[in-house]
Amino acid sequence: MRRATIKDVAEKAKVSLKTVSRVINNEPSVMQATRARVLRAIAELDYEPDPSARNLRSGTTFVIGLVYDNPNPYHIIGVQNGVLAACRETGFGLQIHPCDSSSPLLADELADWVQRSRLAGLVLTAPMSERRDLIQALTARGIKLVRIIAATEDPADGACVFVDDREAAYEITEHLIQLGHQRIGFLWGGTSHRSSGERYAGYEAALKDYGMTVDKHLVVQGDYTFDDGFRGARRLLALREPPTAIFGSNDEIAAGVLAAAKSAGMNVPYDLSIAGFEDSPFSRQSWPPLTTAKQATEDIARHAARLLIAQLRSDAYDDAPAPLHNQGFVPQLVVRGSTAPMRPAAARPLPSDPS
Amino acid sequence: MRRATIKDVAEKAKVSLKTVSRVINNEPSVMQATRARVLRAIAELDYEPDPSARNLRSGTTFVIGLVYDNPNPYHIIGVQNGVLAACRETGFGLQIHPCDSSSPLLADELADWVQRSRLAGLVLTAPMSERRDLIQALTARGIKLVRIIAATEDPADGACVFVDDREAAYEITEHLIQLGHQRIGFLWGGTSHRSSGERYAGYEAALKDYGMTVDKHLVVQGDYTFDDGFRGARRLLALREPPTAIFGSNDEIAAGVLAAAKSAGMNVPYDLSIAGFEDSPFSRQSWPPLTTAKQATEDIARHAARLLIAQLRSDAYDDAPAPLHNQGFVPQLVVRGSTAPMRPAAARPLPSDPS
């Protein structure tokens, strides 16, 4: 029996040669039903396409990779869901790769992964997306990537989605100031994340604009975790003059602050106002629910993946539409039950060391 | 200039032909440094291996897929981390695929994905792993898979990891009974998950063994979500004779119960004992932290992925070690602050409708 050809497949599936070729090439944008018909014809005819023709022009597959190093499951799932939404729109697959962002061998590790899995490109989240040496090393090896970064404006140095954490942190701090709080604690989320520095800058700018000075005893270093929020809050609440409000630089930190306040018998928000950042599902499920900044994590990640895929298609096909543009997002203040006007001093419990 | 051969690469990289071949085939178990040396030699010599020789014998790649449909981020991340650990041990990549477990087209969707991405095999989580029609359809198409299921013993119908949820739910219910609770509510986690039925069976068996009857007003249907926990608890707490303890069939449900109790001004655990299931990080971060059953989600998922990969390697290479065996896990009771002895009736608040 002679071997089946692509023409046999096209005739059996009642589609054009071009369509069979698109299916063989795993190209997106073939209707699901058409794809199924072509695949059935291929199976029935035992047709074997030339394997070297089954990939993108560059020899990679229709799979992108997502790189993350974040301790927060809600954040990771949000990012994954956004990237997966863009993949579904275009028929791409998604490989995931958690990593140690501080590893000096990270460029080799990622390049090895891309090569072995023949990935078409990468979505890099923070803090990897903010390591200039890493970006340069990956780009030098010809790896296509898009970055999600914290920045007030487009740095115009490659494909990225930028999130203005500074502006949003300013608004949260302003909200606390307008509630009458004079002593507002700030808990950092790890210095390797540019977002944490940006959020601190927003906090500092708001205090300055309202004529308040930064008391460095009210600022505590830590990571983007519940445990560091708990520890940081315990330290702040043990001060001789504790804060009446604490801004945790993400929702996990704020949840840790909430647990610390409750374990100390405090009534939130009346004894202590607490604000977080991100609007993770977590922030709506705590009691009281958390005032936060809505970060639209899924939308941000979806746009990043669309940007990458548009770039890949534009590189691979002459007739592809022009790539999308970089886009900025500003998280929006969401006020919930964890923040309240400061109580007048007389109504607060007496300090343990009255003077 | 003559084209470089595999022998040139082996000489330049100072390794055996077999090692070059292993690197080209993306085979796991080549040391990172050796792999890098071979890849460098390939790049410098501009050597192009035959693309048809770059895959597993079956024509698939060294990538497995993880299929999930679960609303709980902590659970998904736990499963992913376990599967990724097994992938890292063996050099496999991981693609992820969230899906709608109730879709009648799911077999086509998954087969299409496996074919397009040339996946070597799948890890199926519940409830997909428990749909017999789906398993049969995938197996009939030659797709290699391993299932994570809820079962008291190995069903001996293919590669699986089985988790004895019934036994663990029995222990949780027994713990509540031994604290003196007579009216214990149960919130289901979705009938499509066999785990939820198994947990209910454990609850029922414990009540029976202690001579108590199941009051069906205390049993509420729902899904494995915070919101359904909140709604279910509101319904139970509005009963004329409300329960003094509620067993939510996962930690998200229990967190919803906790929020409902707090929003009703109740003091947990003194007015209401609450237990969850899974021991997600969430359960340690609520206030009070939740009594639960420690499910070892990461270990379970890691074993499942190891089982799949061992099977794939055994199929692909004659010299591979024998595949691992199916394995069972029993979640362990973890007692925390959300459960306490029932207070004598006199100490409880008066019912709103005294009789």
Side-chain angles (χ1 to χ4, degrees), chain B residues 120-151:
Chain B
L122 298 181
V123 176
L124 290 188
T125 59
M128 287 69 69
S129 57
E130 297 164 347
R131 271 184 55 184
R132 191 170 293 272
D133 61 326
L134 179 68
I135 305 304
Q136 282 170 348
L138 295 176
T139 309
R141 297 188 204 198
I143 295 172
K144 308 262 170 63
L145 51 87
V146 63
R147 297 171 301 142
I148 300 173
I149 60 172

PDB file of all heavy atoms in Angstrom, chain B residues 120-151:
ATOM      1  N   ALA B 120       4.062  12.924  27.335  1.00  0.00           N
ATOM      2  CA  ALA B 120       4.378  11.506  27.544  1.00  0.00           C
ATOM      3  C   ALA B 120       3.310  10.823  28.387  1.00  0.00           C
ATOM      4  O   ALA B 120       3.115   9.607  28.284  1.00  0.00           O
ATOM      5  CB  ALA B 120       5.735  11.392  28.226  1.00  0.00           C
ATOM      6  N   GLY B 121       2.614  11.576  29.227  1.00  0.00           N
ATOM      7  CA  GLY B 121       1.594  10.988  30.089  1.00  0.00           C
ATOM      8  C   GLY B 121       0.930  12.043  30.948  1.00  0.00           C
ATOM      9  O   GLY B 121       1.337  13.205  30.939  1.00  0.00           O
ATOM     10  N   LEU B 122      -0.098  11.635  31.685  1.00  0.00           N
ATOM     11  CA  LEU B 122      -0.891  12.575  32.481  1.00  0.00           C
ATOM     12  C   LEU B 122      -0.991  12.150  33.947  1.00  0.00           C
ATOM     13  O   LEU B 122      -1.118  10.966  34.245  1.00  0.00           O
ATOM     14  CB  LEU B 122      -2.321  12.664  31.934  1.00  0.00           C
ATOM     15  CG  LEU B 122      -2.536  13.168  30.510  1.00  0.00           C
ATOM     16  CD1 LEU B 122      -4.034  13.187  30.210  1.00  0.00           C
ATOM     17  CD2 LEU B 122      -1.924  14.549  30.336  1.00  0.00           C
ATOM     18  N   VAL B 123      -0.994  13.146  34.838  1.00  0.00           N
ATOM     19  CA  VAL B 123      -1.416  12.934  36.221  1.00  0.00           C
ATOM     20  C   VAL B 123      -2.820  13.496  36.326  1.00  0.00           C
ATOM     21  O   VAL B 123      -3.042  14.690  36.067  1.00  0.00           O
ATOM     22  CB  VAL B 123      -0.487  13.664  37.218  1.00  0.00           C
ATOM     23  CG1 VAL B 123      -1.023  13.507  38.638  1.00  0.00           C
ATOM     24  CG2 VAL B 123       0.944  13.139  37.112  1.00  0.00           C
ATOM     25  N   LEU B 124      -3.772  12.654  36.681  1.00  0.00           N
ATOM     26  CA  LEU B 124      -5.169  13.090  36.806  1.00  0.00           C
ATOM     27  C   LEU B 124      -5.542  13.217  38.279  1.00  0.00           C
ATOM     28  O   LEU B 124      -5.408  12.268  39.041  1.00  0.00           O
ATOM     29  CB  LEU B 124      -6.119  12.082  36.159  1.00  0.00           C
ATOM     30  CG  LEU B 124      -6.148  11.933  34.640  1.00  0.00           C
ATOM     31  CD1 LEU B 124      -7.296  11.014  34.247  1.00  0.00           C
ATOM     32  CD2 LEU B 124      -6.309  13.285  33.966  1.00  0.00           C
ATOM     33  N   THR B 125      -6.035  14.394  38.657  1.00  0.00           N
ATOM     34  CA  THR B 125      -6.533  14.580  40.013  1.00  0.00           C
ATOM     35  C   THR B 125      -8.049  14.397  40.017  1.00  0.00           C
ATOM     36  O   THR B 125      -8.677  14.321  38.952  1.00  0.00           O
ATOM     37  CB  THR B 125      -6.182  15.990  40.532  1.00  0.00           C
ATOM     38  OG1 THR B 125      -6.773  16.951  39.643  1.00  0.00           O
ATOM     39  CG2 THR B 125      -4.680  16.215  40.552  1.00  0.00           C
ATOM     40  N   ALA B 126      -8.627  14.334  41.212  1.00  0.00           N
ATOM     41  CA  ALA B 126     -10.079  14.209  41.329  1.00  0.00           C
ATOM     42  C   ALA B 126     -10.728  15.526  40.916  1.00  0.00           C
ATOM     43  O   ALA B 126     -10.135  16.585  41.120  1.00  0.00           O
ATOM     44  CB  ALA B 126     -10.451  13.861  42.761  1.00  0.00           C
ATOM     45  N   PRO B 127     -11.942  15.513  40.364  1.00  0.00           N
ATOM     46  CA  PRO B 127     -12.783  14.339  40.140  1.00  0.00           C
ATOM     47  C   PRO B 127     -12.534  13.651  38.786  1.00  0.00           C
ATOM     48  O   PRO B 127     -13.146  12.620  38.538  1.00  0.00           O
ATOM     49  CB  PRO B 127     -14.197  14.916  40.200  1.00  0.00           C
ATOM     50  CG  PRO B 127     -14.051  16.307  39.687  1.00  0.00           C
ATOM     51  CD  PRO B 127     -12.678  16.759  40.101  1.00  0.00           C
ATOM     52  N   MET B 128     -11.652  14.179  37.913  1.00  0.00           N
ATOM     53  CA  MET B 128     -11.426  13.546  36.611  1.00  0.00           C
ATOM     54  C   MET B 128     -10.922  12.106  36.796  1.00  0.00           C
ATOM     55  O   MET B 128     -11.286  11.205  36.045  1.00  0.00           O
ATOM     56  CB  MET B 128     -10.405  14.323  35.780  1.00  0.00           C
ATOM     57  CG  MET B 128     -10.894  15.638  35.215  1.00  0.00           C
ATOM     58  SD  MET B 128     -11.162  16.898  36.495  1.00  0.00           S
ATOM     59  CE  MET B 128      -9.479  17.225  37.014  1.00  0.00           C
ATOM     60  N   SER B 129     -10.081  11.939  37.823  1.00  0.00           N
ATOM     61  CA  SER B 129      -9.475  10.626  38.082  1.00  0.00           C
ATOM     62  C   SER B 129     -10.518   9.601  38.499  1.00  0.00           C
ATOM     63  O   SER B 129     -10.233   8.413  38.552  1.00  0.00           O
ATOM     64  CB  SER B 129      -8.440  10.770  39.198  1.00  0.00           C
ATOM     65  OG  SER B 129      -9.056  11.318  40.356  1.00  0.00           O
ATOM     66  N   GLU B 130     -11.720  10.069  38.814  1.00  0.00           N
ATOM     67  CA  GLU B 130     -12.760   9.183  39.330  1.00  0.00           C
ATOM     68  C   GLU B 130     -13.891   8.988  38.325  1.00  0.00           C
ATOM     69  O   GLU B 130     -14.911   8.392  38.648  1.00  0.00           O
ATOM     70  CB  GLU B 130     -13.265   9.728  40.678  1.00  0.00           C
ATOM     71  CG  GLU B 130     -12.146   9.720  41.714  1.00  0.00           C
ATOM     72  CD  GLU B 130     -12.398  10.563  42.960  1.00  0.00           C
ATOM     73  OE1 GLU B 130     -13.347  11.379  42.973  1.00  0.00           O
ATOM     74  OE2 GLU B 130     -11.639  10.413  43.909  1.00  0.00           O
ATOM     75  N   ARG B 131     -13.719   9.546  37.104  1.00  0.00           N
ATOM     76  CA  ARG B 131     -14.730   9.359  36.050  1.00  0.00           C
ATOM     77  C   ARG B 131     -14.326   8.159  35.196  1.00  0.00           C
ATOM     78  O   ARG B 131     -13.434   8.260  34.351  1.00  0.00           O
ATOM     79  CB  ARG B 131     -14.811  10.616  35.176  1.00  0.00           C
ATOM     80  CG  ARG B 131     -15.812  11.656  35.672  1.00  0.00           C
ATOM     81  CD  ARG B 131     -15.914  12.825  34.705  1.00  0.00           C
ATOM     82  NE  ARG B 131     -16.235  12.412  33.328  1.00  0.00           N
ATOM     83  CZ  ARG B 131     -16.307  13.256  32.297  1.00  0.00           C
ATOM     84  NH1 ARG B 131     -16.095  14.539  32.488  1.00  0.00           N
ATOM     85  NH2 ARG B 131     -16.589  12.803  31.094  1.00  0.00           N
ATOM     86  N   ARG B 132     -14.993   7.043  35.393  1.00  0.00           N
ATOM     87  CA  ARG B 132     -14.605   5.799  34.729  1.00  0.00           C
ATOM     88  C   ARG B 132     -14.629   5.935  33.203  1.00  0.00           C
ATOM     89  O   ARG B 132     -13.735   5.456  32.503  1.00  0.00           O
ATOM     90  CB  ARG B 132     -15.523   4.666  35.184  1.00  0.00           C
ATOM     91  CG  ARG B 132     -15.077   3.278  34.774  1.00  0.00           C
ATOM     92  CD  ARG B 132     -15.910   2.218  35.474  1.00  0.00           C
ATOM     93  NE  ARG B 132     -15.652   2.213  36.902  1.00  0.00           N
ATOM     94  CZ  ARG B 132     -14.673   1.494  37.473  1.00  0.00           C
ATOM     95  NH1 ARG B 132     -13.885   0.761  36.717  1.00  0.00           N
ATOM     96  NH2 ARG B 132     -14.499   1.511  38.767  1.00  0.00           N
ATOM     97  N   ASP B 133     -15.680   6.608  32.675  1.00  0.00           N
ATOM     98  CA  ASP B 133     -15.803   6.771  31.215  1.00  0.00           C
ATOM     99  C   ASP B 133     -14.597   7.525  30.651  1.00  0.00           C
ATOM    100  O   ASP B 133     -14.061   7.184  29.602  1.00  0.00           O
ATOM    101  CB  ASP B 133     -17.110   7.515  30.875  1.00  0.00           C
ATOM    102  CG  ASP B 133     -17.140   8.916  31.492  1.00  0.00           C
ATOM    103  OD1 ASP B 133     -16.591   9.103  32.608  1.00  0.00           O
ATOM    104  OD2 ASP B 133     -17.696   9.847  30.874  1.00  0.00           O
ATOM    105  N   LEU B 134     -14.169   8.538  31.406  1.00  0.00           N
ATOM    106  CA  LEU B 134     -13.039   9.354  30.952  1.00  0.00           C
ATOM    107  C   LEU B 134     -11.750   8.524  30.929  1.00  0.00           C
ATOM    108  O   LEU B 134     -10.988   8.553  29.955  1.00  0.00           O
ATOM    109  CB  LEU B 134     -12.884  10.562  31.878  1.00  0.00           C
ATOM    110  CG  LEU B 134     -11.725  11.499  31.554  1.00  0.00           C
ATOM    111  CD1 LEU B 134     -11.965  12.224  30.233  1.00  0.00           C
ATOM    112  CD2 LEU B 134     -11.525  12.519  32.668  1.00  0.00           C
ATOM    113  N   ILE B 135     -11.531   7.771  31.997  1.00  0.00           N
ATOM    114  CA  ILE B 135     -10.311   6.951  32.096  1.00  0.00           C
ATOM    115  C   ILE B 135     -10.274   5.942  30.951  1.00  0.00           C
ATOM    116  O   ILE B 135      -9.240   5.761  30.296  1.00  0.00           O
ATOM    117  CB  ILE B 135     -10.277   6.189  33.445  1.00  0.00           C
ATOM    118  CG1 ILE B 135     -10.409   7.153  34.620  1.00  0.00           C
ATOM    119  CG2 ILE B 135      -9.000   5.354  33.564  1.00  0.00           C
ATOM    120  CD1 ILE B 135      -9.402   8.242  34.662  1.00  0.00           C
ATOM    121  N   GLN B 136     -11.432   5.317  30.700  1.00  0.00           N
ATOM    122  CA  GLN B 136     -11.489   4.324  29.623  1.00  0.00           C
ATOM    123  C   GLN B 136     -11.212   4.964  28.270  1.00  0.00           C
ATOM    124  O   GLN B 136     -10.464   4.425  27.453  1.00  0.00           O
ATOM    125  CB  GLN B 136     -12.851   3.618  29.621  1.00  0.00           C
ATOM    126  CG  GLN B 136     -12.934   2.558  30.716  1.00  0.00           C
ATOM    127  CD  GLN B 136     -14.337   2.009  30.906  1.00  0.00           C
ATOM    128  OE1 GLN B 136     -15.297   2.575  30.380  1.00  0.00           O
ATOM    129  NE2 GLN B 136     -14.450   0.930  31.671  1.00  0.00           N
ATOM    130  N   ALA B 137     -11.811   6.139  28.037  1.00  0.00           N
ATOM    131  CA  ALA B 137     -11.625   6.817  26.747  1.00  0.00           C
ATOM    132  C   ALA B 137     -10.160   7.202  26.539  1.00  0.00           C
ATOM    133  O   ALA B 137      -9.613   7.043  25.443  1.00  0.00           O
ATOM    134  CB  ALA B 137     -12.510   8.060  26.668  1.00  0.00           C
ATOM    135  N   LEU B 138      -9.509   7.685  27.595  1.00  0.00           N
ATOM    136  CA  LEU B 138      -8.103   8.096  27.469  1.00  0.00           C
ATOM    137  C   LEU B 138      -7.206   6.876  27.269  1.00  0.00           C
ATOM    138  O   LEU B 138      -6.293   6.887  26.443  1.00  0.00           O
ATOM    139  CB  LEU B 138      -7.670   8.894  28.702  1.00  0.00           C
ATOM    140  CG  LEU B 138      -8.372  10.243  28.909  1.00  0.00           C
ATOM    141  CD1 LEU B 138      -7.916  10.881  30.213  1.00  0.00           C
ATOM    142  CD2 LEU B 138      -8.108  11.185  27.740  1.00  0.00           C
ATOM    143  N   THR B 139      -7.469   5.835  28.031  1.00  0.00           N
ATOM    144  CA  THR B 139      -6.653   4.623  27.930  1.00  0.00           C
ATOM    145  C   THR B 139      -6.797   3.987  26.548  1.00  0.00           C
ATOM    146  O   THR B 139      -5.814   3.536  25.956  1.00  0.00           O
ATOM    147  CB  THR B 139      -7.050   3.626  29.032  1.00  0.00           C
ATOM    148  OG1 THR B 139      -7.032   4.317  30.284  1.00  0.00           O
ATOM    149  CG2 THR B 139      -6.085   2.455  29.101  1.00  0.00           C
ATOM    150  N   ALA B 140      -8.032   4.020  26.031  1.00  0.00           N
ATOM    151  CA  ALA B 140      -8.284   3.444  24.704  1.00  0.00           C
ATOM    152  C   ALA B 140      -7.480   4.172  23.625  1.00  0.00           C
ATOM    153  O   ALA B 140      -7.136   3.600  22.599  1.00  0.00           O
ATOM    154  CB  ALA B 140      -9.769   3.510  24.381  1.00  0.00           C
ATOM    155  N   ARG B 141      -7.185   5.448  23.874  1.00  0.00           N
ATOM    156  CA  ARG B 141      -6.392   6.197  22.896  1.00  0.00           C
ATOM    157  C   ARG B 141      -4.899   6.069  23.154  1.00  0.00           C
ATOM    158  O   ARG B 141      -4.089   6.831  22.603  1.00  0.00           O
ATOM    159  CB  ARG B 141      -6.793   7.669  22.923  1.00  0.00           C
ATOM    160  CG  ARG B 141      -8.248   7.853  22.524  1.00  0.00           C
ATOM    161  CD  ARG B 141      -8.584   9.304  22.365  1.00  0.00           C
ATOM    162  NE  ARG B 141     -10.015   9.510  22.558  1.00  0.00           N
ATOM    163  CZ  ARG B 141     -10.667  10.576  22.166  1.00  0.00           C
ATOM    164  NH1 ARG B 141     -10.038  11.528  21.541  1.00  0.00           N
ATOM    165  NH2 ARG B 141     -11.952  10.705  22.389  1.00  0.00           N
ATOM    166  N   GLY B 142      -4.525   5.191  24.073  1.00  0.00           N
ATOM    167  CA  GLY B 142      -3.104   4.931  24.304  1.00  0.00           C
ATOM    168  C   GLY B 142      -2.433   5.965  25.184  1.00  0.00           C
ATOM    169  O   GLY B 142      -1.207   6.070  25.224  1.00  0.00           O
ATOM    170  N   ILE B 143      -3.242   6.751  25.913  1.00  0.00           N
ATOM    171  CA  ILE B 143      -2.638   7.780  26.772  1.00  0.00           C
ATOM    172  C   ILE B 143      -2.257   7.160  28.112  1.00  0.00           C
ATOM    173  O   ILE B 143      -3.085   6.545  28.785  1.00  0.00           O
ATOM    174  CB  ILE B 143      -3.621   8.960  26.949  1.00  0.00           C
ATOM    175  CG1 ILE B 143      -3.823   9.642  25.594  1.00  0.00           C
ATOM    176  CG2 ILE B 143      -3.123   9.933  28.001  1.00  0.00           C
ATOM    177  CD1 ILE B 143      -4.905  10.692  25.576  1.00  0.00           C
ATOM    178  N   LYS B 144      -0.997   7.324  28.499  1.00  0.00           N
ATOM    179  CA  LYS B 144      -0.510   6.807  29.772  1.00  0.00           C
ATOM    180  C   LYS B 144      -0.941   7.750  30.878  1.00  0.00           C
ATOM    181  O   LYS B 144      -0.781   8.974  30.743  1.00  0.00           O
ATOM    182  CB  LYS B 144       1.019   6.739  29.774  1.00  0.00           C
ATOM    183  CG  LYS B 144       1.603   5.995  28.589  1.00  0.00           C
ATOM    184  CD  LYS B 144       1.936   4.576  28.951  1.00  0.00           C
ATOM    185  CE  LYS B 144       2.284   3.766  27.723  1.00  0.00           C
ATOM    186  NZ  LYS B 144       3.485   4.242  27.030  1.00  0.00           N
ATOM    187  N   LEU B 145      -1.462   7.199  31.965  1.00  0.00           N
ATOM    188  CA  LEU B 145      -1.879   8.096  33.039  1.00  0.00           C
ATOM    189  C   LEU B 145      -1.759   7.451  34.404  1.00  0.00           C
ATOM    190  O   LEU B 145      -1.698   6.222  34.540  1.00  0.00           O
ATOM    191  CB  LEU B 145      -3.307   8.582  32.800  1.00  0.00           C
ATOM    192  CG  LEU B 145      -4.398   7.560  32.515  1.00  0.00           C
ATOM    193  CD1 LEU B 145      -4.995   7.053  33.811  1.00  0.00           C
ATOM    194  CD2 LEU B 145      -5.491   8.211  31.669  1.00  0.00           C
ATOM    195  N   VAL B 146      -1.718   8.314  35.413  1.00  0.00           N
ATOM    196  CA  VAL B 146      -1.778   7.864  36.799  1.00  0.00           C
ATOM    197  C   VAL B 146      -2.844   8.706  37.476  1.00  0.00           C
ATOM    198  O   VAL B 146      -3.005   9.881  37.151  1.00  0.00           O
ATOM    199  CB  VAL B 146      -0.404   7.984  37.492  1.00  0.00           C
ATOM    200  CG1 VAL B 146       0.050   9.430  37.567  1.00  0.00           C
ATOM    201  CG2 VAL B 146      -0.430   7.389  38.886  1.00  0.00           C
ATOM    202  N   ARG B 147      -3.601   8.076  38.386  1.00  0.00           N
ATOM    203  CA  ARG B 147      -4.730   8.767  39.020  1.00  0.00           C
ATOM    204  C   ARG B 147      -4.489   8.972  40.518  1.00  0.00           C
ATOM    205  O   ARG B 147      -3.927   8.103  41.183  1.00  0.00           O
ATOM    206  CB  ARG B 147      -6.007   7.935  38.840  1.00  0.00           C
ATOM    207  CG  ARG B 147      -6.430   7.756  37.388  1.00  0.00           C
ATOM    208  CD  ARG B 147      -7.569   6.750  37.274  1.00  0.00           C
ATOM    209  NE  ARG B 147      -7.178   5.455  37.796  1.00  0.00           N
ATOM    210  CZ  ARG B 147      -7.981   4.647  38.483  1.00  0.00           C
ATOM    211  NH1 ARG B 147      -9.228   4.992  38.727  1.00  0.00           N
ATOM    212  NH2 ARG B 147      -7.545   3.486  38.922  1.00  0.00           N
ATOM    213  N   ILE B 148      -4.932  10.115  41.030  1.00  0.00           N
ATOM    214  CA  ILE B 148      -4.975  10.340  42.479  1.00  0.00           C
ATOM    215  C   ILE B 148      -6.448  10.250  42.870  1.00  0.00           C
ATOM    216  O   ILE B 148      -7.263  11.047  42.385  1.00  0.00           O
ATOM    217  CB  ILE B 148      -4.412  11.719  42.856  1.00  0.00           C
ATOM    218  CG1 ILE B 148      -2.957  11.837  42.400  1.00  0.00           C
ATOM    219  CG2 ILE B 148      -4.540  11.961  44.354  1.00  0.00           C
ATOM    220  CD1 ILE B 148      -2.365  13.229  42.580  1.00  0.00           C
ATOM    221  N   ILE B 149      -6.788   9.273  43.694  1.00  0.00           N
ATOM    222  CA  ILE B 149      -8.209   9.043  43.996  1.00  0.00           C
ATOM    223  C   ILE B 149      -8.447   8.883  45.495  1.00  0.00           C
ATOM    224  O   ILE B 149      -7.523   8.648  46.269  1.00  0.00           O
ATOM    225  CB  ILE B 149      -8.728   7.760  43.294  1.00  0.00           C
ATOM    226  CG1 ILE B 149      -7.929   6.535  43.761  1.00  0.00           C
ATOM    227  CG2 ILE B 149      -8.634   7.887  41.781  1.00  0.00           C
ATOM    228  CD1 ILE B 149      -8.500   5.219  43.253  1.00  0.00           C
ATOM    229  N   ALA B 150      -9.709   9.031  45.883  1.00  0.00           N
ATOM    230  CA  ALA B 150     -10.119   8.755  47.257  1.00  0.00           C
ATOM    231  C   ALA B 150     -10.609   7.319  47.313  1.00  0.00           C
ATOM    232  O   ALA B 150     -11.545   6.958  46.599  1.00  0.00           O
ATOM    233  CB  ALA B 150     -11.230   9.713  47.678  1.00  0.00           C
ATOM    234  N   ALA B 151      -9.972   6.491  48.127  1.00  0.00           N
ATOM    235  CA  ALA B 151     -10.384   5.087  48.244  1.00  0.00           C
ATOM    236  C   ALA B 151      -9.735   4.495  49.476  1.00  0.00           C
ATOM    237  O   ALA B 151      -8.637   4.905  49.878  1.00  0.00           O
ATOM    238  CB  ALA B 151      -9.953   4.293  47.004  1.00  0.00           C
TER     239      ALA B 151
END
